[in-house]
Amino acid sequence: MKPLKKEWVVLLVMAMLLSFGIAPLASAAEKEAPVSPAPGKEAPTSSAPGKETPLTSAAEKEAPMSSGTTYVLLYIDKPDAFLNGKQVKLDAPATILKDKTFVPAKFLGDAFGMKVEWNDKTRQIEMVTPSHNITIDIDNKSVWINGYWMKFDDVAAIVNGRLMIKLTWLADYMGAKYTYNNELRRVEVLHVKTPTGIFDPNRGNSNPVAKFTFAQPSYKIGEPVKYVDLSYDPDAEGIARYEWTGKQEAFFTPGTYPITLTVTDIHGNKSETYTRNLVITNETYLSAIEYPIFMKPVGSFIKTDWSMLWGAFWELPQLPKTVSEDRSRKLLVSDSPETFTERGVLYQDEVEGKGRLYADHINGTKEKLSMAILAKNLTDKPVTIKTTNKGEVWPSVYANLIGSEATVDFLMNDQINETMTIPAHQTFIYKQMPDFYPDQGVNLFYDVETDGKVQFSFVADREISQNSQTLPLLPFEGHVRGSFPVSEMTWQIDASSFTKPSRLLIGDGITDPFQPGYDPMRKMEVKNDGNYGVVYKIHADKPRKMAVMILPKGGVYKGPFKINGDIRLAPASGVMTAFDGMQILAKTTGKEDSLDIEFSPPAGSALPFELIFYPLDERAAE
């Protein structure tokens, strides 16, 4: 045949490959798909594209290293056919038109492994062969081969809405051999597909080979899938990059899922795509909600939405607790005015014995100022102030940052032994912070012990001196201010035997009451709304296997927790809210003697928040 005819045949073969159902090639036993109708006519429906649905069945696909012979028997005008000895039924049997034998396009295309692609937008079949770019226009009965136009009526036909191709084209353009038995009215077709090698002599290098398997034949819903990589490079140079599609840690809908892998070697040579199908059974191992709690490590962030929160976490039962209060250390809280707009005394009160000085303020003026704590000896003899712990942060405009970092510093509990002795009736600068500029804020903690009565004044001034304590007392503007007898609480909980997810609610003012106190500047009873400056210590003996998570419920949150001596940041970076998610703070194995959680509500963060205790079992990752 002439080269032009050869191109013609390739084109026609391509057209025949697509049974004009414009669908992906199906199995050889599948019925011949009808030719797609022209625009304006009714077309067959299909599932919506882009939907993620598991396959009901699919064969695992791998670029073959070797190939064999495909043997096909077709009977004229009969739907019975045989593919490699297996009987199949055809929707479009072989037929004779004008003394020429025509055979079903899609059936042979599937059988011989031919590939075509339907462009739904242009309504054309597009095909690329090693030597030809072919486009087939079904509606206009036109063909373009490497840009040259021709018609295909001489080699193809539409019979009962199905695409058929002339048998004589098989030998030259599909690499198939055939014989026709007139007595039996039967066509025998043999096709051998020459495999493509992966070695390129021009490069002197081979493409890598992608291959993997699963650790078990099937998996349950929510069961971690173990992928076993078996890829290799024939040149023994190693795999540089893996590209997966469909790969997930676990699946939560039963079905069969195609997972593909393509690998690239260090020279940029890419493998053929390897596909294996993953079977997910109807049995449940872990639900979609349980999976990250059981499987993710400490520090992991678990995304949530309203449906998940409301359905699984919003109203969990309270974990019983026994509360004890430490009243040995007086807590002075200077937080109002939180944002000061003039120089003056922010708060002032006396300490004799143990005290905790806590301040959170923002420079709301238009100038650079300094903040300090002045200490005035109110006795007739020298008084020594001993500082045993501190929490400090450099000035910043980010309220959540300064609250979190000062609390981190305080929970670290780096033991210090600073002393200051103040002569009788004199005033010293106990602590002075670095200058902070407009809109910058500071947060600080100091645990002190005095052997006499000392008046502490929190002041903001251009230049700090002993005389700063004579500045005017700044008015209250709604935030916490006052002195409180309770600076530490211990919650003893029983976390050894609970069986359902439970919680501790912190900072709601009801189940966790706000501590009462007194504001000497206003001479009135007050409450420490949020219990800022108070250290919480939660203790559980012999805790069961479980996960401990934080769920902010009041708004934006950022703060540290100290768990069995280790500092955990919540979150690790940025801020979090209930609608962002929960963070896993700790996991226990069920073998620990105790669990101790220590924290203090961080300045700048909204309350309340919950600590969720989620029981785990042997399914949890170690």
Side-chain angles (χ1 to χ4, degrees), residues 445-456:
F445 296 74
Y446 295 103
D447 275 356
V448 297
E449 297 177 10
T450 72
D451 58 4
K453 185 178 293 187
V454 176
Q455 180 188 71
F456 288 97

Side-chain angles (χ1 to χ4, degrees), residues 131-189:
S131 58
H132 299 89
N133 291 320
I134 302 170
T135 302
I136 304 171
D137 188 332
I138 302 301
D139 297 330
N140 298 309
K141 303 291 181 64
S142 299
V143 175
W144 285 267
I145 300 178
N146 289 344
Y148 292 95
W149 176 89
M150 58 179 59
K151 63 180 181 177
F152 64 85
D153 284 347
D154 292 338
V155 295
I158 303 298
V159 179
N160 295 326
R162 268 63 178 177
L163 178 65
M164 309 293 285
I165 188 167
K166 190 180 294 185
L167 183 60
T168 54
W169 289 89
L170 289 173
D172 290 337
Y173 298 100
M174 294 185 71
K177 296 180 180 180
Y178 71 92
T179 58
Y180 176 68
N181 188 318
N182 188 51
E183 181 180 356
L184 299 177
R185 291 173 59 80
R186 184 177 75 181
V187 180
E188 297 183 16
V189 183

Side-chain angles (χ1 to χ4, degrees), residues 317-366:
Q318 294 267 3
L319 201 62
K321 62 181 184 289
T322 301
V323 179
S324 58
E325 299 174 338
D326 183 352
R327 294 174 174 265
S328 65
R329 187 181 297 277
K330 183 179 182 179
L331 171 63
L332 277 60
V333 177
S334 178
D335 191 27
S336 183
E338 184 177 74
T339 301
F340 57 86
T341 57
E342 56 184 316
R343 298 179 297 122
V345 176
L346 303 164
Y347 185 60
Q348 191 177 78
D349 198 7
E350 301 168 1
V351 171
E352 185 173 9
K354 291 183 178 180
R356 175 169 298 153
L357 312 179
Y358 178 91
D360 184 52
H361 292 287
I362 298 172
N363 182 358
T365 72
K366 302 298 183 182

Side-chain angles (χ1 to χ4, degrees), residues 252-271:
F252 299 97
T253 303
T256 302
Y257 294 83
I259 314 297
T260 69
L261 172 63
T262 306
V263 297
T264 305
D265 67 16
I266 60 174
H267 299 292
N269 302 318
K270 185 172 287 189
S271 72

Side-chain angles (χ1 to χ4, degrees), residues 25 36 120 168 215 253 258 265 296 337 343 382 484 486 533 599:
L25 297 180
S36 286
D120 192 54
T168 54
T253 303
D265 67 16
K296 298 295 184 181
R343 298 179 297 122
F484 305 91
V486 174
F599 65 92

